[in-house]
Amino acid sequence: MRLMVSNIQHFSVSDGPGIRTTVFLSGCNLRCQWCHNPETWEMGPVTLHFAGGQEEKCGFLMSISEIFEKVSGDLEFYQESGGGITVSGGEPLLQTEEVSELLSCCKKAGIHTLVDTAGALPYERFLPLLPVTDVFYYDIKAADEKRYRVYTGGSFQLVRENLLRLRAEGSEVILRLPLIPGVNTDMKSVETITALAAEAGIMEIHLLPYHRYGISKYNALGMEYPMKNKRLVSQRQMDKIRASYQEAGFLVK
Amino acid sequence: MKYKKYLIIIQNNTIVHCHLELVDYNGFEVMFMWMTEIENLRRELSVTPAGEICREVLFYQGVKEYYSQPPIIAKSYGTAAVMAKAKAYLYQNDLIAGSIRGIFQKDVDARIMGHAKQVYRSYGQNHFGTNSDHFAPDYQTFLGDGIGGTYRKIEVSRKLHKDAKARRFLKAAKITLDGFCGMLQNYAEEADKKAEAEKGEKKRRFLNMAADLRMLLTEKPTTFRQALQLIFLCHIAFLLQDKHAMAFGRMDQFLLPYYEKDLRQGVLTREEAVALLTSMFIKIGEHRYLGGDDTVNICIGGITPTGEDAVNPLSYCILEAVRIANIPGPNLSARIHERTPDKFLDEALKVIATGLGYPALMNDNINIPALLRHGYAREDVNDYCFVGCVENFIPGKQPPWSDGRFNVPMYFEPLLFHGKALLHPDYIGLDTGGPEALKTMKDFLKAFHRQLAYGFSEYYMFFNNENDRYQSENYAQPFLSLFCGDCIERGRDIRDGGAKYPSAHGAGCMGIATVADSLAAVDKLVYQEKKYTLCQLAEAIRVNYQGYEQMREDLLAAPKYGNDDDFVDRYAIWYVEEMERLVSEYRTRDGGPVYAAIASNVQNISAGREVAATPDGRRCGEALSDAASPMHGMDREGITAVVKSTTKPDFRLISCGTVLNQKLTPGLLRKDEYRKKFAALLRVYFKRGGQEMQMNCVSREMLKDAMEHPENYRSLVVRVSGFSAYFVELDPAVQLDILKRTEHGGAV
């Protein structure tokens, strides 16, 4: 069994508790305009040609055992810090059977498992992951059907239903909200997400302010950066959104 | 003492007063009374003194009437004069007296200077061969005795020792102590003068300073300020005598009783202690007037002589003071062991996060066993500190340090070219039969060992002959001996059996990663895959890989140290064991140990210029791998792999010390959550047997270098939620943004 991997990042400090190894997978069903990992869109090999002359190859098939060996090599670090593996992407649900196999190996080795998903695929794809995933990071990219479709190409309705079902079946879920001005930073979006989160019994929300770090990758892939003129979230707006979720009783990070 | 409490923020070198209780200063919460003085002192220090260094003239003035005396006595009069005749210089904003400015004089008569230099030289100069500096004085004893007590010790010893040599030494020691007293006296008078010209708070400060200095002439210090004052003037006295890399050692231990007593009696606040320390540390930067930064090692943390955790409130004060001083020079080292409080490690990382690059973090669990192997007493070893960059040292119990550079990767050349070195036509090495004789990897290693053993024997011969040349009495260090355990009691100079332990020498072994990577490449491509013959490789090295591009690419693609790959890491293990094999054959002139060191921080560049192309694919003249770090840009599996690789060798064999340099993106240590994770990484590193790690956060200067040489910064990963990128691959505007931002977005 093999997985299409974009990159493996060791000592990942911002993708879950403790020190983690993040396995970024290739292949994504969405095309979020602010995406900072465009090299993970295609389920296949891509080469980034950076302006400085460096080249990076992404997207290669790796056997589960090969990945597991890399991940479990850092066991001491997970134990010392309360960390583990994070599967990100790309969209892990696209390779759900293989991911399940990898996480199953990790669980057996006592490694904490986390899957970062946008949840915009049929719910069946979650099923193989349920027994082997400790925590889901669940991204909500827009809070209404129209904008979700326009900015990502996916369906908010599906994301919403999947979240409720995932929670109903007892999975631990932390919401991750990329904050994109003009897409989901208006108070109406905040209210919709607050209501959904409350309904789903969510405890913790992570805010991810939009950043432009991905620009060079678009250039390296010979692609146009879709959000060229997009402004960043102001500190004031961040504070306001954070306060709003905090008032609603969520732990906000 | 009552001072008006106000707080200050400094922005762009302009002081902004602020009356809040807590302010954020450079990302940290500080409460401060005396930031004005410190920042104004910083400004005073920024003015370079006019004139030239007149050490030799002062020495000549002191020595010239005593030529008839035995050299040790005559020379001591010269040394005393350097201390007593150098002008006592006080800054307007000094909290602690002491400056090297007084050694600069304008309009020195060139004839006198020329002659004085001849005289000074004839009495012998200071360098590693003479064991003259790189020393951690026993300040604990000196503070406990005071100057008066030290005089009494000398007197007692003079009565006990009848032999002429001991009496000469003790007389010389007394002469230098007289010179030191002259220096204190001068500072006291200068403080009086300053007090006269000042009003209010400053006047009171200079009056107190003068009173402290006069009191110290006879009595031992009783307050924290007096203790600091005394050791700082000792330090200045060493600098006047052309002694550098003089360590302060375990300040948080030997100053603690003074600090605690003062706090108890209400004569000192924590903030004042930090201010006093800062004002002293910032003056270490005066060394730039002499042409470069000093490396004054200050050691905090670790364990006590009896094995308890040694972190105390003063350890934190020193961390804070070093951070506020914010200059290279005070080379802070933090000893870490498994019971070191998390808070201490965290505070140390916060200081590193400011971009200072220190404290260097040292592993007691490796350094202590490394020193115990040489038969030092357990309580002495527990009390170890460092001199220079990282050299393990037992304060005040062994003669000053010496070290040299052993350029290990160079020895591939005599191995491949029948005893010849490509860039050193005059080197005559062993002919171990050339490449054609080495049929297996085992042959290769055996012959390489023979080359190294022979090379090291020459290295040692040259050092030892030089070291031996400086006959003890003529090159005596009577002033330094006052700061070394048993010298006075024994009536013997620090270099002549006065110290408890004999001298130790550190052989700076170069290029662990260059060697390990080279051995792995040879093993893989020549012996295992048989893609190239050793003769082909030798030829490619001879022509610096010109016309052998494919071979060079294959060599570069071979396993590299720092990626948790046993194939190559075993050669790092071999290297460490080999260095220990080499050095353990030798003793210093007085019977002390020779240590291996893998710590040459900058010399990897100059040493690389002396080495032809190496089998790891490195081209002729390029830098070697630095210290104990993986080859720059070759550690591509992330920092956890670096930690795993660099903890495989047994560093207890490297008694001098190692340096593992790590570059980090700036945000990684700024955010509490990330810093905690980094601390966990360090705990693993130390648990696994890492000896030392020092971290540099990417600065603007580094960024420029990273843009020009991205290949050296490949290992810098940007850690943003859900994001995957290397720092060098980011848009330049984004890189700058990452350097500027502190918190928002969590960019690291």
Side-chain angles (χ1 to χ4, degrees):
Chain A
M1 222 179 219
R2 295 197 293 178
L3 267 163
M4 183 64 80
V5 175
S6 175
N7 179 32
I8 295 179
Q9 189 182 86
H10 293 272
F11 192 63
S12 208
V13 292
S14 44
D15 285 313
I19 295 170
R20 309 198 75 82
T21 301
T22 302
V23 179
F24 290 94
L25 299 179
S26 291
C28 192
N29 55 314
L30 301 181
R31 290 293 180 269
C32 306
Q33 291 194 13
W34 53 85
C35 181
H36 56 203
N37 292 336
E39 76 282 10
T40 63
W41 287 354
E42 297 304 323
M43 180 83 78
V46 286
T47 305
L48 295 99
H49 303 274
F50 289 98
Q54 308 95 273
E55 267 192 14
E56 198 190 335
K57 288 185 169 41
C58 294
F60 37 91
L61 282 170
M62 281 177 81
S63 70
I64 301 293
S65 59
E66 205 182 336
I67 303 171
F68 176 71
E69 200 185 318
K70 277 188 183 282
V71 171
S72 60
D74 283 358
L75 188 63
E76 278 172 275
F77 300 92
Y78 310 146
Q79 285 168 343
E80 184 69 34
S81 65
I85 182 177
T86 296
V87 182
S88 183
E91 174 53 69
L93 293 183
L94 288 176
Q95 305 182 71
T96 190
E97 292 294 341
E98 294 83 353
V99 172
S100 170
E101 181 64 29
L102 171 64
L103 295 187
S104 162
C105 297
C106 290
K107 288 302 304 171
K108 276 181 209 143
I111 297 170
H112 179 270
T113 59
L114 194 153
V115 172
D116 188 357
T117 176
L121 283 162
Y123 187 75
E124 291 65 47
R125 292 195 178 253
F126 277 102
L127 296 178
L129 299 178
L130 298 185
V132 290
T133 306
D134 289 316
V135 181
F136 285 98
Y137 272 8
Y138 199 101
D139 302 357
I140 298 191
K141 299 170 188 288
D144 60 71
E145 193 59 31
K146 190 176 158 208
R147 279 191 282 187
Y148 203 103
R149 184 140 321 264
V150 169
Y151 287 108
T152 75
S155 158
F156 178 63
Q157 195 52 33
L158 182 62
V159 170
R160 187 191 141 79
E161 282 164 14
N162 283 347
L163 173 63
L164 292 171
R165 232 173 121 182
L166 196 58
R167 284 293 298 142
E169 293 189 28
S171 289
E172 190 180 333
V173 178
I174 291 169
L175 289 192
R176 299 197 114 191
L177 313 177
L179 296 180
I180 321 291
V183 178
N184 54 19
T185 54
D186 55 295
M187 286 328 275
K188 182 143 189 304
S189 295
V190 174
E191 279 163 29
T192 310
I193 294 169
T194 304
L196 172 60
E199 191 183 346
I202 296 291
M203 310 289 284
E204 192 171 331
I205 291 178
H206 294 175
L207 303 179
L208 311 176
Y210 166 66
H211 63 79
R212 297 193 190 110
Y213 297 165
I215 287 186
S216 62
K217 293 191 196 169
Y218 284 85
N219 296 334
L221 289 164
M223 287 157 55
E224 186 86 354
Y225 189 60
M227 303 250 298
K228 243 180 197 152
N229 299 314
K230 189 57 88 183
R231 61 185 202 286
L232 301 175
V233 194
S234 71
Q235 188 63 52
R236 243 182 82 199
Q237 207 171 2
M238 269 294 287
D239 293 343
K240 198 175 153 198
I241 294 169
R242 178 178 285 119
S244 174
Y245 286 118
Q246 276 167 344
E247 274 164 32
F250 300 109
L251 173 64
V252 185
K253 280 188 185 166
Chain B
M1 273 182 281
K2 280 197 175 139
Y3 296 98
K4 191 180 169 194
K5 263 199 179 179
Y6 51 79
L7 301 161
I8 292 134
I9 313 176
I10 296 116
Q11 287 170 339
N12 303 329
N13 242 353
T14 317
I15 295 169
V16 187
H17 289 252
C18 171
H19 289 272
L20 297 170
E21 267 295 287
L22 287 168
V23 287
D24 199 57
Y25 173 73
N26 207 6
F28 292 86
E29 286 182 344
V30 287
M31 266 180 61
F32 239 106
M33 295 195 285
W34 288 340
M35 282 309 296
T36 318
E37 272 75 3
I38 285 162
E39 291 311 313
N40 287 337
L41 177 58
R42 196 189 298 277
R43 231 165 280 180
E44 285 186 86
L45 287 162
S46 68
V47 181
T48 306
E52 55 188 313
I53 300 167
C54 63
R55 175 183 298 118
E56 295 88 347
V57 173
L58 302 178
F59 181 89
Y60 167 63
Q61 286 168 358
V63 75
K64 66 181 178 184
E65 282 160 36
Y66 298 94
Y67 292 152
S68 64
Q69 297 282 318
I72 182 173
I73 302 290
K75 194 177 174 185
S76 294
Y77 280 113
T79 305
V82 173
M83 291 185 270
K85 286 180 191 285
K87 190 181 172 309
Y89 186 92
L90 287 176
Y91 293 98
Q92 290 300 114
N93 297 282
D94 258 337
L95 303 182
I96 297 287
S99 168
I100 59 169
R101 232 166 237 269
I103 204 164
F104 287 84
Q105 278 184 12
K106 281 184 271 190
D107 310 319
V108 184
D109 188 319
R111 267 177 62 245
I112 296 178
M113 178 59 99
H115 185 65
K117 279 190 170 163
Q118 280 183 350
V119 173
Y120 185 77
R121 259 200 302 276
S122 85
Y123 276 98
Q125 282 175 308
N126 297 336
H127 54 76
F128 271 144
T130 62
N131 297 96
S132 64
D133 60 10
H134 282 69
F135 178 70
D138 180 0
Y139 283 131
Q140 179 159 0
T141 305
F142 194 73
L143 290 172
D145 292 340
I147 292 176
T150 308
Y151 271 123
R152 283 192 291 279
K153 267 188 175 172
I154 296 174
E155 272 321 300
V156 169
S157 188
R158 279 178 81 169
K159 284 184 187 132
L160 289 174
H161 290 281
K162 298 293 169 220
D163 66 297
K165 194 176 170 193
R167 294 181 69 90
R168 274 201 302 278
F169 163 74
L170 290 164
K171 185 177 175 191
K174 183 174 172 297
I175 293 165
T176 59
L177 193 54
D178 292 342
F180 184 60
C181 287
M183 181 176 151
L184 262 70
Q185 186 67 43
N186 295 344
Y187 272 101
E189 283 163 20
E190 189 61 20
D192 282 339
K193 272 189 225 156
K194 283 267 188 234
E196 250 169 68
E198 290 288 347
K199 286 194 298 248
E201 175 53 37
K202 273 209 165 69
K203 185 187 191 76
R204 194 160 65 238
R205 192 178 303 152
F206 283 121
L207 285 174
N208 284 340
M209 188 185 280
D212 279 355
L213 288 161
R214 292 215 163 80
M215 176 270 194
L216 288 171
L217 279 169
T218 49
E219 305 299 315
K220 60 188 181 188
T222 59
T223 67
F224 182 74
R225 192 179 66 199
Q226 289 163 351
L228 269 190
Q229 179 63 79
L230 187 58
I231 63 168
F232 193 60
L233 283 178
C234 293
H235 186 75
I236 293 293
F238 294 135
L239 285 167
L240 295 180
Q241 295 170 43
D242 205 15
K243 293 184 189 301
H244 311 273
M246 293 295 290
F248 281 122
R250 305 190 75 186
M251 293 181 87
D252 62 341
Q253 305 304 305
F254 64 73
L255 288 174
L256 185 67
Y258 303 92
Y259 176 74
E260 282 182 332
K261 186 189 69 72
D262 283 7
L263 284 193
R264 232 180 6 251
Q265 297 182 348
V267 296
L268 180 80
T269 63
R270 179 183 188 276
E271 291 74 27
E272 185 183 352
V274 173
L276 293 171
L277 286 163
T278 310
S279 138
M280 175 176 140
F281 292 157
I282 202 172
K283 285 201 280 183
I284 291 173
E286 278 194 322
H287 201 273
R288 293 208 159 171
Y289 311 151
L290 305 175
D293 286 312
D294 204 355
T295 43
V296 179
N297 212 303
I298 298 163
C299 175
I300 53 175
I303 58 173
T304 63
T306 52
E308 306 300 315
D309 173 48
V311 171
N312 62 48
L314 196 51
S315 319
Y316 293 97
C317 291
I318 291 169
L319 260 176
E320 192 169 334
V322 162
R323 172 176 62 74
I324 297 167
N326 192 27
I327 54 162
N331 195 12
L332 188 63
S333 309
R335 283 174 48 181
I336 308 292
H337 59 101
E338 68 280 2
R339 285 164 292 133
T340 297
D342 289 338
K343 182 174 187 305
F344 180 70
L345 186 53
D346 191 54
E347 291 298 324
L349 290 175
K350 279 185 188 170
V351 176
I352 294 166
T354 64
L356 266 176
Y358 49 69
L361 304 178
M362 308 291 189
N363 190 359
D364 273 2
N365 290 353
I366 294 300
N367 282 331
I368 290 174
L371 289 170
L372 283 174
R373 292 192 306 124
H374 301 287
Y376 305 121
R378 178 83 210 197
E379 63 274 19
D380 290 340
V381 169
N382 285 354
D383 208 24
Y384 83 100
C385 65
F386 312 89
V387 298
C389 303
V390 297
E391 296 92 311
N392 290 330
F393 198 85
I394 298 178
K397 291 196 165 65
Q398 60 185 117
W401 186 249
S402 70
D403 60 36
R405 190 178 80 191
F406 181 53
N407 206 349
V408 182
M410 197 270 280
Y411 295 91
F412 285 119
E413 295 164 42
L415 180 72
L416 297 175
F417 305 106
H418 298 274
K420 291 195 179 98
L422 296 179
L423 304 186
H424 297 266
D426 54 343
Y427 178 75
I428 301 171
L430 296 182
D431 183 354
T432 41
E436 49 282 342
L438 309 173
K439 302 293 179 214
T440 62
M441 191 62 202
K442 217 171 148 192
D443 291 346
F444 189 97
L445 280 178
K446 227 164 152 184
F448 190 43
H449 164 73
R450 284 180 62 206
Q451 293 290 351
L452 290 173
Y454 181 72
F456 192 79
S457 71
E458 274 213 336
Y459 160 94
Y460 191 74
M461 175 272 296
F462 280 123
F463 165 76
N464 201 42
N465 286 347
E466 187 69 5
N467 197 223
D468 237 7
R469 193 187 319 282
Y470 305 100
Q471 250 193 62
S472 292
E473 200 174 5
N474 287 3
Y475 287 85
Q477 306 278 356
F479 184 69
L480 204 63
S481 302
L482 298 174
F483 300 87
C484 180
D486 304 335
C487 295
I488 300 176
E489 291 82 348
R490 294 182 186 176
R492 299 187 77 156
D493 185 74
I494 189 169
R495 296 183 72 256
D496 183 32
K500 179 170 180 182
Y501 300 117
S503 66
H505 173 75
C509 304
M510 304 302 299
I512 180 174
T514 303
V515 170
D517 293 351
S518 293
L519 292 174
V522 169
D523 190 357
K524 181 166 188 281
L525 290 157
V526 175
Y527 293 111
Q528 295 205 0
E529 295 177 3
K530 301 195 192 319
K531 189 159 182 185
Y532 305 104
T533 66
L534 198 56
C535 292
Q536 286 171 323
L537 177 62
E539 179 56 19
I541 282 173
R542 196 182 64 77
V543 299
N544 196 18
Y545 293 116
Q546 272 176 18
Y548 291 86
E549 290 310 321
Q550 182 56 47
M551 183 196 290
R552 182 166 174 264
E553 267 176 42
D554 290 338
L555 294 166
L556 285 171
K560 297 283 182 266
Y561 185 50
N563 296 294
D564 188 24
D565 183 339
D566 283 338
F567 187 87
V568 50
D569 293 350
R570 67 186 145 141
Y571 289 114
I573 296 172
W574 178 88
Y575 179 98
V576 164
E577 287 168 355
E578 173 73 4
M579 294 309 115
E580 165 60 15
R581 267 194 295 276
L582 298 179
V583 301
S584 60
E585 296 276 313
Y586 299 89
R587 309 297 292 172
T588 58
R589 102 194 117 69
D590 49 347
V594 177
Y595 301 158
I598 312 181
S600 310
N601 250 335
V602 234
Q603 293 215 345
N604 63 311
I605 297 166
S606 55
R609 283 193 206 110
E610 299 166 14
V611 180
T614 37
D616 58 341
R618 176 190 145 278
R619 285 191 198 275
C620 176
E622 286 179 356
L624 305 173
S625 61
D626 86 79
S629 318
M631 188 68 177
H632 39 267
M634 290 299 178
D635 48 334
R636 301 208 164 158
E637 290 291 320
I639 194 167
T640 53
V642 171
V643 163
K644 289 175 80 185
S645 279
T646 58
T647 50
K648 284 177 194 172
D650 184 358
F651 286 111
R652 291 173 300 183
L653 300 176
I654 308 299
S655 305
C656 175
T658 57
V659 167
L660 177 66
N661 282 302
Q662 281 298 299
K663 295 188 197 101
L664 306 175
T665 43
L668 186 60
L669 300 181
R670 289 200 194 128
K671 203 169 168 176
D672 292 351
E673 183 197 345
Y674 298 168
R675 205 167 51 246
K676 216 173 138 196
K677 293 179 184 184
F678 194 80
L681 177 107
L682 285 170
R683 294 281 187 187
V684 174
Y685 176 68
F686 287 135
K687 222 181 271 179
R688 289 179 58 100
Q691 190 165 20
E692 194 261 15
M693 194 190 282
Q694 55 199 56
M695 291 133 273
N696 268 298
C697 294
V698 178
S699 61
R700 273 169 184 277
E701 302 85 75
M702 268 166 90
L703 180 59
K704 207 171 152 249
D705 189 49
M707 286 173 172
E708 282 164 22
H709 305 283
E711 67 279 7
N712 293 348
Y713 293 81
R714 274 289 301 190
S715 57
L716 275 177
V717 175
V718 181
R719 296 178 178 85
V720 177
S721 302
F723 183 55
S724 157
Y726 289 104
F727 184 78
V728 289
E729 292 172 348
L730 295 176
D731 192 73
V734 170
Q735 290 175 332
L736 269 177
D737 183 51
I738 287 184
L739 289 198
K740 274 187 285 183
R741 71 171 42 202
T742 50
E743 199 65 37
H744 186 54
V748 284

